[in-house]
Amino acid sequence: MVIRNPEYETLPRPQLEELQLKRLQETVSYVYNRNPFYHQSMDKLGIKPADIKTLKDLALLPFTSKEDFRQNYPFGLCCVPKTEISRIQSSSGTTGKPVIAPYTAKDVDTWAELVARSLSCAGVVPEDILQNAYGYGLFTGGLGIHYGAEKMGVAVVPASTGNTKRQLMLLQDLGTTVITCTPSYSLIMYEAGKEMGLDFHNSSLKLGIMGAEPWSENMRREIEAKLGITALNIYGLTEITGPGVAMECPQKCGLHIWEDNFMVEIINPETGEVLPYGQKGELVITTINKQAQPVLRFRTKDITSLMPEKCGCGRTMVRMSQITGRSDDMIRVRGVSVFPSQIESVLLTVEGIEPHYQIIVDRHNAFASDELEIWVEVSEGIFSDEMSRLNALQKKLQSELDSVLGIRAKIKLVEPRTLARTEGKAKRIIDRSELPENR
């Protein structure tokens, strides 16, 4: 297995932590002296840059939230003058002001190198043809993957999102070996390919690098079985840098976090308490190698755990487990916490169920969901079969979900292609008030 940058990726823990402390101290001093928001946030806690003497002192620093980005829109968290900014990207801003992500020329180069490192970690080689089906433009996914692939000498097909039939034509005609997209979009491609008579198992495609939405191990197995590929997880956030924060290797035992650039913690999402390795909680990230917009202790809302053991691939940096969901995606149903990934993991173990579902909630107040309904597509053969078989499938699904979730949800089986498909991030949770029948 090729390791792109063994100087850092296989660094023994003591040397890595020495590098982290040096970069953390520099970053804290940098933001304190250059950014009013962080200066004031640290002063409120009575913290000065000189107080950061060990890595454990990271916990003394203030958290940064998505709301802080919105309140300081557009450049309130930036640490360089606009004349030094060479790139500006952003989030979608669907729930308010978008998150603005400025980069210096050095930041762009560092980002490209981290994505190149990630692609190499996944097994991409210069001989590959990579078809990039992440969105280009302000979204960090498209250009982030593009620059990283070019940096490692891979031919890139900048297909962007959408126009699935064209995607499949290019895949066949160009001999695409690597696809980068969301997990849900890969299944949309499979459906369209099946209609076109495309046999993915006999195509050139061998590897999928997928992210931008949580997905379960059962979803991975579904994708790999249908497309005949290895499907690996890539992770990143607009607030931190975009894709290239962490990457899964073919060992499939967690995503390698590039700790020479990012320090990570797991906290209790309710109390903010830092949790030890192995415990599940909210991921918090601090950038330690950025110029334009370094970020201290960003609360990602992503639920995961950290594994410090050396990976079988030889890399020594800490790994994060697959994200099981987001703390703000958690549904509270009669006092029980439910994540979409729990539901997905059950659905994909039941024969006759397609990997397309939506979770419908009836919200009676801002803090609780009293009713839960799950709409699930069934396969063509099952839906056209006898009603008794559908009833049996529904009962089996009901029993499995009751056991895993600890609460009873109403199951609605729907015919194939009933649920809306999306070329971007899949929308799994629907408020009852959004349904056409209730408008």
Side-chain angles (χ1 to χ4, degrees):
M1 182 178 294
V2 177
I3 296 180
R4 178 175 173 82
N5 195 332
E7 178 186 357
Y8 289 108
E9 294 178 63
T10 63
L11 201 60
R13 197 76 207 171
Q15 288 94 309
L16 175 59
E17 291 182 351
E18 185 180 334
L19 173 65
Q20 285 185 314
L21 179 58
K22 176 178 179 292
R23 289 184 170 180
L24 175 63
Q25 290 170 329
E26 291 172 348
T27 296
V28 172
S29 179
Y30 182 80
V31 299
Y32 184 81
N33 292 315
R34 284 175 170 253
N35 186 269
F37 168 79
Y38 280 120
H39 192 109
Q40 293 167 13
S41 297
M42 289 175 62
D43 281 352
K44 284 180 182 177
L45 296 175
I47 303 298
K48 301 294 183 186
D51 295 326
I52 308 302
K53 297 181 173 64
T54 70
L55 291 180
K56 289 185 178 179
D57 293 332
L58 175 64
L60 300 175
L61 296 170
F63 289 116
T64 308
S65 68
K66 187 180 285 285
E67 187 59 30
D68 292 324
F69 278 87
R70 289 173 179 150
Q71 290 180 358
N72 289 277
Y73 175 90
F75 295 113
L77 295 182
C78 192
C79 290
V80 298
K82 293 177 184 177
T83 54
E84 294 182 22
I85 296 174
S86 66
R87 172 90 64 81
I88 298 173
Q89 304 216 215
S90 84
S91 66
S92 62
T94 53
T95 56
K97 288 285 188 181
V99 169
I100 296 297
Y103 304 75
T104 65
K106 179 179 178 295
D107 288 337
V108 172
D109 189 64
T110 299
W111 183 22
E113 177 56 37
L114 290 174
V115 175
R117 186 191 294 186
S118 299
L119 296 176
S120 179
C121 176
V124 178
V125 295
E127 293 76 23
D128 278 315
I129 295 178
L130 185 149
Q131 189 163 319
N132 188 10
Y134 285 115
Y136 279 70
L138 289 172
F139 174 60
T140 57
L143 286 172
I145 295 293
H146 188 111
Y147 272 63
E150 285 191 339
K151 194 168 187 72
M152 70 175 298
V154 175
V156 187
V157 183
S160 195
T161 56
N163 204 334
T164 304
K165 289 185 177 180
R166 183 186 64 181
Q167 295 269 10
L168 295 171
M169 179 191 74
L170 291 172
L171 188 148
Q172 295 177 87
D173 294 348
L174 301 179
T176 298
T177 55
V178 181
I179 186 75
T180 56
C181 62
T182 63
S184 54
Y185 187 63
S186 73
L187 292 173
I188 292 174
M189 292 182 69
Y190 170 78
E191 286 183 339
K194 189 176 179 181
E195 288 183 353
M196 296 167 59
L198 170 59
D199 181 0
F200 281 94
H201 286 261
N202 287 322
S203 74
S204 55
L205 196 63
K206 63 178 183 179
L207 175 64
I209 296 177
M210 300 174 184
E213 62 189 27
W215 49 308
S216 65
E217 284 297 322
N218 287 338
M219 176 69 88
R220 187 213 299 271
R221 285 190 281 271
E222 185 86 9
I223 291 168
E224 291 185 335
K226 287 185 170 180
L227 274 69
I229 62 173
T230 297
L232 299 177
N233 200 349
I234 190 169
Y235 179 77
L237 310 93
T238 302
E239 295 86 351
I240 300 303
T241 194
V245 173
M247 182 70 223
E248 200 172 24
C249 75
Q251 298 275 333
K252 297 181 182 176
C253 56
L255 288 80
H256 296 270
I257 298 174
W258 308 129
E259 290 187 280
D260 52 327
N261 287 264
F262 313 105
M263 291 187 65
V264 290
E265 307 164 90
I266 297 293
I267 66 167
N268 181 318
E270 296 180 1
T271 67
E273 173 196 3
V274 178
L275 302 176
Y277 285 136
Q279 286 198 24
K280 187 170 289 188
E282 180 183 344
L283 180 67
V284 173
I285 305 178
T286 298
T287 66
I288 53 174
N289 193 27
K290 284 188 75 176
Q291 289 183 332
Q293 193 163 272
V295 183
L296 300 182
R297 303 191 79 199
F298 179 70
R299 295 192 58 163
T300 67
K301 302 290 187 181
D302 291 325
I303 304 300
T304 183
S305 60
L306 298 177
M307 299 168 281
E309 301 82 12
K310 181 179 178 180
C311 180
C313 71
R315 294 175 177 85
T316 54
M317 294 181 180
V318 73
R319 287 163 290 132
M320 58 184 273
S321 62
Q322 286 271 34
I323 293 168
T324 56
R326 291 177 54 81
S327 59
D328 52 2
D329 273 350
M330 184 180 71
I331 309 164
R332 295 286 291 181
V333 186
R334 298 185 291 280
V336 177
S337 300
V338 177
F339 286 100
S341 58
Q342 291 177 287
I343 296 171
E344 179 181 293
S345 66
V346 173
L347 299 181
L348 294 176
T349 63
V350 178
E351 187 177 354
I353 294 297
E354 293 295 314
H356 301 287
Y357 64 95
Q358 284 185 337
I359 303 163
I360 314 297
V361 293
D362 270 335
R363 299 189 180 278
H364 296 288
N365 60 59
F367 307 101
S369 300
D370 294 333
E371 301 297 334
L372 181 65
E373 184 174 331
I374 304 168
W375 293 14
V376 187
E377 286 188 14
V378 297
S379 62
E380 192 74 52
I382 295 289
F383 195 82
S384 59
D385 210 334
E386 296 178 0
M387 185 60 68
S388 59
R389 193 174 178 193
L390 271 177
N391 290 337
L393 178 61
Q394 186 170 22
K395 287 180 180 178
K396 177 177 174 57
L397 199 52
Q398 185 79 66
S399 174
E400 295 285 344
L401 283 168
D402 287 355
S403 174
V404 170
L405 301 181
I407 57 164
R408 192 164 185 82
K410 182 180 178 182
I411 309 300
K412 182 175 181 178
L413 302 182
V414 299
E415 62 183 303
R417 300 184 180 277
T418 296
L419 303 179
R421 306 297 196 253
T422 175
E423 294 166 350
K425 297 182 183 182
K427 186 175 183 181
R428 300 298 191 194
I429 303 173
I430 305 293
D431 191 282
R432 175 69 70 178
S433 63
E434 297 177 5
L435 294 176
E437 65 200 53
N438 293 317
R439 285 179 182 161

